[in-house]
């Protein structure tokens, strides 16, 4: 009886990252894209925790701790930007934000 | 089949976590209504918390539920409600021809490449902690102790930097979400109007008293 191998969790994290990347590439709403970015961040967190267990190193979990803090700050500022854009354009669709070209 | 090699509870926990994560993630990218996407995100995050718990990251599992499934998803829902649920009026219109297929192919190639790399690398092929020379990570309270020791000694500088980052993020969010300048002028006008109203009200009271 051994524990679950790390490769199972790593494959799961890779699939989760792929789903999040597909969402970022195909969805139009800035809010949904933010949620997909959260999915990708969580996939990376899962990878870090898996390696922390495999390598018996608490540093991986500490990194996840800091990633969570940065993700919280990123969501706060990002949603502030979404609200500010919505005030000006009355839409959160990224296709309509074509004024920053060049 | 797997029960001979691995403990059945472990396999069940992994299967439940994988089910939650995949259902939630697919829900996030497939739901038309943003509120449903946010609720699917909660499911995916709970699955990730379960995977953390199964891998002796107890503190991070609690933080995942509290910060991600709690605070961040509530923030998403708050913004969705604040902006109004427009459910992204044209969710299936493709301005770029073939964008969906290109994205699917690119993602599949990337994920397959990553998995192939992991399969071919010796350091992810199932080498467990006991065989790497170190003792396995502690669980429960001991996990919190280990993580706290690490954060407040080895990574103390990074920890202090995150404090500054959080303050900057809060100030930036307040600045971004603040109303425009004309709205502030309106508020000042209203305040002045109420100031002019007050003496009138007092005069009314005095006249009433005189009448009484």
């Amino acid at each position: 009886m051994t524990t679950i191998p790390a490769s199972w969790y790593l494959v799961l994290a890779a699939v989760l990252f792929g789903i999040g990347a597909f969402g970022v590439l195909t969805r139009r709403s800035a809010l949904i894209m933010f949620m997909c970015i959260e999915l990708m961040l969580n996939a990376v967190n899962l990878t870090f925790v898996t390696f922390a267990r495999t390598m018996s190193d608490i540093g991986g979990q500490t990194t996840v701790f800091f990633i969570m803090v940065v993700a919280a700050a990123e969501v706060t500022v990002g949603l502030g930007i979404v609200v500010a854009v919505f005030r000006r354009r009355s839409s959160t669709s990224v296709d309509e934000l074509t004024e920053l070209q060049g | 089949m797997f029960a001979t090699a691995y403990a059945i509870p472990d396999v069940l926990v992994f299967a439940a976590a994988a089910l939650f994560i995949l259902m939630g993630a697919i829900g996030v990218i497939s739901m038309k209504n943003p509120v449903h996407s946010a609720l699917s995100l909660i499911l995916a995050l709970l699955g990730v918390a379960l995977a953390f718990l199964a891998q002796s990251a107890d503190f991070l599992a609690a933080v995942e539920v509290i910060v991600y499934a709690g605070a961040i998803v509530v923030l998403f829902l708050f913004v969705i409600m604040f902006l109004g649920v427009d459910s992204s009026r044209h969710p299936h219109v493709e301005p770029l021809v073939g964008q969906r297929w290109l994205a699917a192919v690119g993602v599949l190639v990337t994920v397959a490449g990553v998995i192939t790399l992991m399969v071919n690398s010796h350091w992810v092929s199932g080498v467990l902690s006991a065989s790497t020379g170190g003792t396995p990570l502690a669980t429960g309270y001991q996990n919190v102790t280990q993580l706290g020791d690490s954060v407040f000694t080895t990574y103390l500088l990074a920890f202090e930097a995150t404090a500054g980052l959080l303050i900057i993020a809060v100030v930036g969010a307040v600045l971004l979400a603040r109303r425009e300048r004309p709205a502030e002028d309106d508020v000042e006008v209203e305040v002045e109007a109420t100031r002019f109203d007050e003496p009138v009200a007092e005069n009314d009271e005095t006249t009433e008293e005189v009448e009484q």
Side-chain angles (χ1 to χ4, degrees):
Chain A
M1 291 288 182
T2 55
T3 52
I4 299 290
S7 55
W8 293 20
Y9 284 105
L10 292 176
V11 170
L12 178 63
V15 172
L16 178 60
F17 188 89
I19 294 174
F22 183 77
V24 170
L25 289 174
T26 55
R27 291 302 297 256
R28 298 276 176 273
S29 167
L31 281 168
I32 307 288
M33 291 174 74
F34 258 112
M35 292 183 202
C36 292
I37 291 175
E38 295 306 311
L39 285 181
M40 295 162 75
L41 277 172
N42 272 279
V44 175
N45 283 351
L46 186 54
T47 310
F48 266 115
V49 168
T50 305
F51 278 124
R53 178 183 65 118
T54 310
M55 307 290 175
S56 290
D57 191 348
I58 197 70
Q61 294 189 13
T62 315
T63 310
V64 172
F65 179 76
F66 288 126
I67 290 175
M68 283 180 176
V69 175
V70 175
E74 170 243 334
V75 166
T76 310
V77 175
L79 290 180
I81 293 174
V82 169
V83 170
V85 168
F86 186 83
R87 282 224 180 90
R88 195 167 289 271
R89 305 297 306 269
S90 299
S91 169
T92 59
S93 173
V94 292
D95 280 336
E96 298 175 19
L97 301 178
T98 57
E99 291 172 354
L100 291 179
Q101 291 175 345
Chain B
M1 179 172 67
F2 296 117
T4 56
Y6 308 114
I8 294 177
D10 288 348
V11 176
L12 286 181
V13 166
F14 176 82
L19 193 67
F20 285 177
I21 289 173
L22 294 181
M23 280 178 57
I26 292 174
V28 168
I29 67 168
S30 62
M31 295 286 185
K32 289 178 186 173
N33 191 334
V35 177
H36 295 166
S37 288
L39 295 179
S40 300
L41 185 62
I42 293 181
L43 186 64
L45 296 176
L46 286 182
V48 173
L50 192 56
F52 282 2
L53 208 55
Q55 296 191 289
S56 67
D58 298 32
F59 179 75
L60 290 179
V63 171
E64 177 90 12
V65 172
I66 294 171
V67 172
Y68 263 113
I72 289 183
V73 175
V74 166
L75 199 59
F76 270 115
L77 286 172
F78 181 79
V79 171
I80 290 170
M81 301 295 178
F82 182 71
L83 301 182
V85 182
D86 58 351
S87 68
S88 65
R89 283 161 293 177
H90 307 292
H92 293 296
V93 175
E94 284 191 87
L96 299 175
V97 178
Q99 182 187 9
R100 231 168 256 272
W101 287 106
L102 281 178
V105 169
V107 165
L108 277 180
V109 167
T110 307
V111 171
V114 167
I115 292 176
T116 310
L117 273 181
M118 290 192 295
V119 167
N120 290 329
S121 304
H122 68 282
W123 35 268
V124 291
S125 58
V127 180
L128 294 180
S129 53
S131 62
T132 59
T135 53
L137 289 180
T139 58
Y141 289 118
Q142 294 304 314
N143 171 253
V144 184
T145 309
Q146 272 187 336
L147 197 58
D149 279 342
S150 173
V151 166
F152 286 106
T153 56
T154 313
Y155 300 96
L156 183 61
L157 187 62
F159 182 72
E160 297 292 342
T162 54
L165 175 72
L166 281 178
I167 289 178
I168 293 171
V170 168
V171 173
V174 170
L175 274 178
L176 282 171
R178 201 179 53 167
R179 287 187 175 279
E180 301 288 331
R181 191 51 72 103
E184 291 180 357
D185 291 342
D186 291 344
V187 172
E188 287 177 0
V189 170
E190 285 179 6
V191 170
E192 288 174 359
T194 51
R195 278 180 195 152
F196 283 124
D197 286 342
E198 286 173 1
V200 178
E202 288 177 1
N203 288 338
D204 288 342
E205 287 178 3
T206 52
T207 51
E208 285 176 3
E209 287 176 1
V210 169
E211 285 177 1
Q212 287 171 354

